[in-house]
Amino acid sequence: MVADYDRRIEVAVETKHPTRYAGLVEKRVVEMLRDFGWDRAGTPARVMSFSYTALQRVERLTPEVPLVQLIDHAGYWPMLRRAIGKDWSVGPGIDELREHPKLGTRLARSGHDIHVWTVNTEADLELCLDLGVKVVITDRPKEILRLLDARG
């Protein structure tokens, strides 16, 4: 459906870990991306995971697909910032940004694009905009789009 739509729609594929299938998950995701021709630069797809290892696997199989290292604990960032790829994005949850204000500042200074989940309120959107967040993931797309349109 997305591939046949008359305008570009971006797809965020999240791998769930741990899994008993190890690298098979990433292999199948990359095969699917290849089937659609989405395994090269300009792809509308990005792969996200809390698993650094999973993202390394995807990068080895298809280095041009954008990757997002999801972060569910602010304390993980000092280690992850040294390990993740220079072109990877980082994806903290909005709860972590609210509870750890310095995390947002550190991420913004890191040079990595920031993708935040799950942004559902105007206050959360404002926080993201103040930090220069590139992507917000929401359960309320109509409301978030209305708020963004109102800002011009």
Side-chain angles (χ1 to χ4, degrees):
M1 183 170 103
V2 170
D4 293 335
Y5 206 68
D6 62 354
R7 67 179 173 86
R8 181 180 173 93
I9 295 178
E10 295 191 5
V11 178
V13 179
E14 181 183 348
T15 67
K16 300 291 187 177
H17 290 277
T19 175
R20 65 184 175 159
Y21 301 107
L24 186 59
V25 171
E26 293 77 34
K27 183 178 179 209
R28 295 284 193 245
V29 166
V30 169
E31 287 172 358
M32 179 200 64
L33 294 174
R34 282 194 180 119
D35 288 346
F36 286 98
W38 292 352
D39 60 329
R40 53 185 79 95
T43 178
R46 65 185 175 274
V47 177
M48 310 182 307
S49 186
F50 290 102
S51 170
Y52 171 72
T53 302
L55 294 174
Q56 283 183 305
R57 288 178 186 136
V58 172
E59 187 172 50
R60 277 193 303 271
L61 294 168
T62 182
E64 295 182 356
V65 170
L67 302 175
V68 182
Q69 175 68 61
L70 298 176
I71 303 170
D72 57 352
H73 297 289
Y76 294 165
W77 177 240
M79 177 195 61
L80 287 170
R81 73 182 167 90
R82 293 181 184 98
I84 66 172
K86 65 181 174 93
D87 295 330
W88 294 16
S89 297
V90 291
I94 192 67
D95 292 341
E96 287 299 297
L97 290 180
R98 271 194 258 107
E99 292 172 23
H100 305 278
K102 290 181 182 178
L103 174 64
T105 304
R106 289 180 183 131
L107 294 176
R109 283 187 292 192
S110 74
H112 296 278
D113 285 348
I114 306 171
H115 296 211
V116 179
W117 50 275
T118 303
V119 178
N120 287 330
T121 68
E122 186 171 3
D124 290 344
L125 181 61
E126 288 297 324
L127 173 60
C128 290
L129 293 172
D130 289 346
L131 291 170
V133 168
K134 299 290 185 196
V135 174
V136 296
I137 297 168
T138 182
D139 296 325
R140 300 180 181 137
K142 186 175 182 178
E143 176 65 11
I144 295 299
L145 286 171
R146 184 190 67 72
L147 291 168
L148 288 170
D149 286 344
R151 292 178 59 93

